[in-house]
Amino acid sequence: MAAFKIAVLEGDGIGPEIMAEAVKLLKVVAERSGLELDLGYGAFGASAYFSHGRAFPDETKRLCDEAQAILKGPIGLSHEESQKIPVDEQPERGALLPLRRRYNTFANFRPVYLPQELAHFSPLKSAVIGSGIDFIIIRELVGGLYFGAKESGINAQGKRYVTESLEYDEDQISRIAHVAFDTAMGRKKVLHNIHKSNVLKSSVLWNEIIAEVGANYPEVEVRHILVDAAATYLCLNPGQFDVMVMENMFGDILSDQGGGILGSLGLMPSACVGPEKAYYEPSHGSAPDIAGQNIANPYSMIGSVAMMLEMSLHLPEEGSRLWQAMRRVFGRGYCTPDLSQETDVKMISTSDFGDLVVEELAAAD
Ligand code: IPM
Ligand code: MN
């Protein structure tokens, strides 16, 4: 069998440290399942700008073009450091958005999951959490404000101005709606449609298409919630959600809130899926303030490997073993500094976490 080609983009800040753990686990899983891997590393993000003069260098583009899946670490710098890079080469605009556009990764899956035994990580009261948190945000990833027309300059009154447009056409909405309904069919058959149709015309079209696509899925119950109200319900009653679908910017904001109710963005992996290729990344940033200290939580990066095993390598059992192994490590009372301020917990480093997951995987055999 030919080796499975993966482009590995370590990114900035804590990226290389958490990627090292993710790759360690990926190799353990590959070994166990007889999978041959061909890993190619590429420069990407602010570090690539400094080493190659481009945030998404041509050789990295080629590496990604040839890969069957892409594993990507977080990118970005502190606000001050970012100012040293020209606006269009800053890693979000110069690398990440071009990566999403290049592979048209319109479907972003962001699971928000905390089993009951880890519920103590959440800032929410146990009465609110009930039996844990378990829903998935499906975020449209290549449309809306992020990719709409932008213009800035001086207006007729001599004032600096900017406009950015929130653009969607029916096909863009329809394809993400199908993904959301299909996901709902595989879960509880309840889909929360998040919108702002009381103000935005884009949401009016969005809702129309949701209704049209929904007609093909009579078993799925659709519940419509305004995005601002959804933000409140995520705190007051997250248990009501199972699958949520929304446009790009709403998904950016609510998925960070998802990390907040879990207790850390370090618990938020994600998959970004396009027609031909998917890439996998944590939902969080590169945390430059703690980079290089071996204290970052690698769960989101290893979880992204688990999602890659499930979605690109079609090894759902291996993915699920990896999830379970990570949760058992936390279940044994270990935690990384993002998850607790308490002193009596068993605090572990980034690499300790990876090693303990390796141990748990071996013990499960
Ligand atoms: C995310 C990130 C990105 C986004 C940034 C880094 C451009 O916050 O993946 O959620 O806004 O999409
Ligand atoms: Mn975000």
Side-chain angles (χ1 to χ4, degrees):
M1 200 174 72
F4 190 86
K5 268 189 176 213
I6 301 173
V8 180
L9 315 179
E10 295 175 291
D12 303 318
I14 58 171
E17 302 157 58
I18 60 175
M19 185 64 85
E21 301 315 306
V23 168
K24 180 153 87 187
L25 267 311
L26 179 60
K27 287 182 174 164
V28 169
V29 172
E31 175 88 1
R32 180 180 181 278
S33 47
L35 183 73
E36 215 182 305
L37 296 177
D38 175 357
L39 304 183
Y41 283 71
F44 189 76
S47 46
Y49 175 76
F50 292 123
S51 61
H52 292 65
R54 297 297 302 272
F56 191 6
D58 286 344
E59 51 258 61
T60 304
K61 287 183 182 150
R62 271 196 302 278
L63 181 79
C64 293
D65 287 350
E66 284 161 15
Q68 287 160 280
I70 300 164
L71 195 57
K72 179 202 147 284
I75 47 122
L77 295 175
S78 66
H79 182 70
E80 293 70 35
E81 288 295 306
S82 282
Q83 310 307 305
K84 297 180 184 161
I85 303 183
V87 172
D88 288 332
E89 281 299 321
Q90 286 171 5
E92 295 80 0
R93 264 182 298 266
L96 184 53
L97 298 187
L99 176 73
R100 289 177 181 170
R101 191 198 293 269
R102 190 173 185 86
Y103 302 112
N104 202 5
T105 53
F106 67 94
N108 182 206
F109 295 80
R110 297 198 156 176
V112 184
Y113 181 72
L114 201 63
Q116 195 161 34
E117 64 273 20
L118 304 184
H120 55 280
F121 289 152
S122 172
L124 300 182
K125 293 186 182 120
S126 51
V128 173
I129 295 190
S131 58
I133 298 175
D134 183 6
F135 61 93
I136 183 159
I137 290 179
I138 297 187
R139 168 188 178 194
E140 199 292 325
L141 200 61
V142 295
L145 277 171
Y146 277 60
F147 291 90
K150 296 173 201 297
E151 188 186 290
S152 58
I154 307 285
N155 68 13
Q157 289 75 43
K159 304 280 187 199
R160 285 170 292 172
Y161 81 97
V162 58
T163 59
E164 292 184 291
S165 40
L166 203 171
E167 297 174 10
Y168 276 107
D169 70 24
E170 57 181 308
D171 293 347
Q172 284 176 298
I173 303 171
S174 162
R175 64 185 180 177
I176 192 74
H178 275 102
V179 169
F181 278 101
D182 287 339
T183 307
M185 282 301 287
R187 294 181 50 124
K188 293 187 181 158
K189 301 192 169 113
V190 175
L191 175 63
H192 280 88
N193 173 44
I194 310 302
H195 66 96
K196 186 74 183 171
S197 68
N198 52 350
V199 176
L200 301 177
K201 295 287 274 286
S202 52
S203 284
V204 173
L205 178 62
W206 180 278
N207 291 354
E208 251 173 63
I209 309 287
I210 291 282
E212 286 167 20
V213 173
N216 303 309
Y217 298 86
E219 287 175 64
V220 176
E221 181 195 339
V222 181
R223 299 185 190 154
H224 301 277
I225 304 199
L226 291 166
V227 62
D228 48 351
T232 308
Y233 290 134
L234 279 174
C235 296
L236 297 182
N237 181 14
Q240 72 184 282
F241 298 114
D242 190 55
V243 180
M244 302 171 85
V245 64
M246 63 202 80
E247 66 88 40
N248 202 345
M249 186 87 203
F250 296 165
D252 180 44
I253 297 169
L254 288 192
S255 61
D256 263 36
Q257 193 178 344
I261 65 172
L262 296 184
S264 170
L265 274 176
L267 298 177
M268 288 284 296
S270 87
C272 310
V273 181
E276 270 117 48
K277 191 169 304 202
Y279 84 90
Y280 299 85
E281 66 176 354
S283 301
H284 56 72
S286 61
D289 51 323
I290 60 161
Q293 298 175 42
N294 196 25
I295 58 173
N297 181 356
Y299 178 100
S300 58
M301 194 72 244
I302 302 173
S304 299
V305 167
M307 293 183 86
M308 182 173 75
L309 290 169
E310 291 165 352
M311 299 170 82
S312 283
L313 283 146
H314 309 293
L315 293 170
E317 274 146 38
E318 296 298 333
S320 130
R321 280 165 47 84
L322 191 48
W323 286 123
Q324 285 163 26
M326 286 206 286
R327 288 171 190 145
R328 278 199 302 275
V329 172
F330 286 138
R332 283 165 66 188
Y334 292 110
C335 81
T336 43
D338 55 313
L339 291 169
S340 175
Q341 305 301 319
E342 289 158 32
T343 47
D344 58 344
V345 291
K346 291 189 270 183
M347 201 63 86
I348 50 170
S349 68
T350 312
S351 49
D352 289 339
F353 185 85
D355 292 341
L356 285 161
V357 180
V358 173
E359 236 176 62
E360 286 294 338
L361 274 183
D365 269 336

